[in-house]
Structures are given as structure tokens and as C-alpha cells.
Amino acid sequence: PIRTPPREILRLGPRGALVYLASINKAKIDNVLDLSRQQLSSFPLEIWLLTGLLRLSIESNNISVIPPDIVSCPLLKELILSDNQIAMLPFQLGELLELQKLICTKNYVTKL
């Protein structure tokens, strides 16, 4: 079930919340989730319920940490993290055996 949208989404107003919820619901069908430019500071919990997710774009936000929960999406083939505040890529990314494309430009990655 979808919980309350993250506070950053709620700050975008009713339209922002509806766009967010529609994106989550659409991802349940097509396994593609685009949460770009949503002013997010962390990965929303709803992502970890989308275990069939194939593509996740969460670029142009304010995310600084990729949580270990990323392994909850074992079928992920494409992960786009560009233009965030990420300084370190977690070892859990290596557990995503289907991952073919990782884009993390415009971050502060100093440790792999």
C-alpha cells in the first residue's frame, strides 16, 4: 500500500502529490519509475515495495545516500542517480546482478 508521500512531495502541493502517486501506481504496471526533479532528500519507502522494478530514475534531487534497501529491487537493470549529493556508492549495488546501466554523474562520489 502507498503511504503518505514524502514531505518534500507534499510541499509541492496537491498537484505534486498526485503526480508522485500516479508515478508509483504506473510503476506497479510497467516496472519503470521516474522520480526526477521531485526535491527528494531520500529514497521513498514505496520504492522498496516495487520488487519488479526494472528502471529507476531519481535524478536531480537532493539525495545523499543510496540505502542498502536497494537490493529490494533485484531485477533493476537501469539506475539513474545523476545530479544529487551522493558521495559514496554502497557495496549493495554489486548485489544487483541484473544492473546494466548505472548513471551517477554530477554527484560527489569519492568512494566506490
Side-chain angles (χ1 to χ4, degrees):
I2 295 178
R3 297 172 178 83
T4 301
R7 66 182 180 275
E8 298 93 345
I9 299 296
L10 294 176
R11 282 188 209 129
L12 297 175
R15 180 160 169 39
L18 288 174
V19 168
Y20 171 81
L21 294 171
S23 296
I24 296 291
N25 282 326
K26 183 177 178 294
K28 291 177 183 177
I29 297 166
D30 65 10
N31 295 313
V32 173
L33 181 58
D34 186 352
L35 293 177
S36 301
R37 296 169 199 78
Q38 299 289 316
Q39 301 177 10
L40 295 168
S41 60
S42 62
F43 281 68
L45 297 175
E46 286 82 13
I47 292 175
W48 316 133
L49 301 175
L50 301 170
T51 57
L53 204 58
L54 299 173
R55 181 180 190 275
L56 172 60
S57 178
I58 198 160
E59 65 183 308
S60 300
N61 282 289
N62 298 308
I63 294 172
S64 59
V65 174
I66 303 168
D69 296 322
I70 194 75
V71 298
S72 298
C73 300
L75 303 178
L76 205 57
K77 292 179 185 270
E78 190 172 329
L79 179 58
I80 303 169
L81 304 164
S82 298
D83 198 19
N84 277 288
Q85 308 296 317
I86 299 166
M88 186 178 104
L89 298 178
F91 72 88
Q92 287 88 353
L93 287 177
E95 295 178 31
L96 297 175
L97 302 179
E98 300 296 320
L99 192 63
Q100 298 171 4
K101 186 186 284 188
L102 171 64
I103 302 173
C104 57
T105 57
K106 295 185 182 177
N107 277 289
Y108 302 98
V109 177
T110 58
K111 187 174 179 182
L112 299 177

